[in-house]
Amino acid sequence: MAMLLTEDSAGPDPLLAMAGERFDRLMTIESRPLSGGLPPGLVVPMYEICRRHHGEPLSTLAARTLMSRVAYGDHVIVATGAGVPPKLPQGETDGPPGAAVLARAMALGLGAQVTIVSEEAHSKPVEACAALVGSSTARPINVETIPPHPKHGPKAVEALLARCQPSAIVFVELDGPNQDGHFHGVRGDRRPAGTMAHLHLLAQAGRTAKRLTIGIGDGGNEVGFGAVRTPLAAFHPNGFVVTTVETDVIVSAAISNWGAYAVCAGLAVGLGSPDLLHGDTLEGKLIKACVGAGARDGATASAEPRVDGVPESGHRGFVSLLESIVASSMTEPGRASSSRLRSREVKP
């Protein structure tokens, strides 16, 4: 019999929450360039709005809900993809690496069968990232696509959910529509009609089916922020971009990839498995593979190894520091006894 670690309903393990405070602080360091049109000063206030909504560290909240809701062998869907022509015809470098790394962590740590879903135009960067992490998992990480147009969305989502029957659906840097039904970038630019694959419908269908939904984003226009739309739109300099699409958990980070990595760190501490983090070397390979497959930096639209304007070296440094925090969190006094989350038997 396989074992899955979970928590009881009383709330988070105190030491896991302590680690979450560290992960959250790291993932909300504002590092995007001051030039280029990305609104400055958003990261920490956005995080604080989401933190008040949930009442505990966001990274480890997402991790512990995954641990409690995903049993060995369950399916999990990860949806990603932002950016449209002409600047980002095959998407941006923020999203595919985070989705792939989180898929890897859930496959290794939870024994999940993971499918990454994107729209057709973003498939090559997503496939490149999935291929890099898939060699280390027992099961392959599948990649599926949905064509862009609202008429395809409902049927494609219905078929995907019926086929996979996922326990959880996670969104990493995926645009969601605003209250007028339009998709926007964080700068306020409106996505042209017919260019979006309407993957946000996975969140609405998942919540209706009582599946766990988690949104990871950095601008307020991504799926999940609908849960805090009113206070966020009131604060946001481009409040009209804030999506109405809600998720059960919303993780707000400086860069969406970083939010996904912080959730992986939460899984690493919660499950006692530091190898669930991917390491700085693989991080560099993921960014380069993403660019090589056609993705561009979302801040500058350049085909350089950058994510949201931050060079590859900065992201490698982030991952290295995250690994250090995981290691120190797992050696805190009392970690050996307190981190043993209750287990339940499940069939493989």
Side-chain angles (χ1 to χ4, degrees), residues 156-167:
V157 165
E158 181 181 351
L160 182 64
L161 291 178
R163 186 169 69 256
C164 292
Q165 291 293 311
S167 294

Side-chain angles (χ1 to χ4, degrees), residues 52-325:
R52 285 194 294 272
H53 176 72
H54 284 305
E56 64 177 277
L58 306 181
S59 57
T60 46
L61 169 62
R64 75 181 185 87
T65 54
L66 285 168
M67 289 188 290
S68 67
R69 296 283 293 274
V70 178
Y72 185 93
D74 280 2
H75 280 86
V76 175
I77 292 173
V78 181
T80 190
V84 295
K87 292 185 176 180
L88 305 171
Q90 291 182 274
E92 60 173 289
T93 50
D94 192 18
V101 168
L102 185 54
R104 172 186 177 276
M106 292 188 292
L108 289 174
L110 301 176
Q113 303 180 60
V114 187
T115 297
I116 303 178
V117 184
S118 73
E119 56 183 78
E120 287 180 342
H122 301 164
S123 63
K124 291 185 185 297
V126 172
E127 288 169 352
C129 291
L132 275 175
V133 304
S135 61
S136 63
T137 60
R139 294 186 179 91
I141 294 172
N142 300 316
V143 176
E144 296 195 19
T145 61
I146 292 178
H149 199 282
K151 73 177 183 180
H152 297 295
K155 290 183 179 179
V157 165
E158 181 181 351
L160 182 64
L161 291 178
R163 186 169 69 256
C164 292
Q165 291 293 311
S167 294
I169 307 169
V170 185
F171 302 85
V172 183
E173 184 72 8
L174 182 77
D175 291 342
N178 68 357
Q179 61 184 351
D180 297 320
H182 303 310
F183 297 83
H184 292 83
V186 68
R187 298 177 178 90
D189 51 301
R190 181 172 164 183
R191 311 304 197 196
T195 60
M196 307 298 295
H198 286 60
L199 285 169
H200 68 280
L201 296 174
L202 282 167
Q204 298 166 344
R207 283 169 60 83
T208 298
K210 301 190 183 306
R211 312 295 183 181
L212 172 64
T213 56
I214 297 173
I216 302 173
D218 58 27
N221 57 312
E222 301 95 352
V223 167
F225 283 105
V228 292
R229 188 181 69 84
T230 298
L232 182 53
F235 158 77
H236 201 295
N238 299 318
F240 61 91
V241 311
V242 178
T243 185
T244 60
V245 183
E246 302 182 32
T247 52
D248 300 315
V249 178
I250 177 65
V251 178
S252 181
I255 295 171
S256 296
N257 285 347
W258 290 7
Y261 302 160
V263 175
C264 294
L267 290 171
V269 172
L271 295 168
S273 300
D275 60 342
L276 297 186
L277 286 176
H278 60 301
D280 71 304
T281 299
L282 181 52
E283 173 67 5
K285 291 179 179 179
L286 285 165
I287 295 173
K288 290 174 181 174
C290 205
V291 173
R296 299 179 184 174
D297 173 33
T300 64
S302 65
E304 299 178 11
R306 293 174 175 268
V307 181
D308 279 1
V310 178
E312 175 197 340
S313 59
H315 296 281
R316 293 182 62 161
F318 175 88
V319 172
S320 293
L321 187 52
L322 193 61
E323 286 183 302
S324 297
I325 298 174

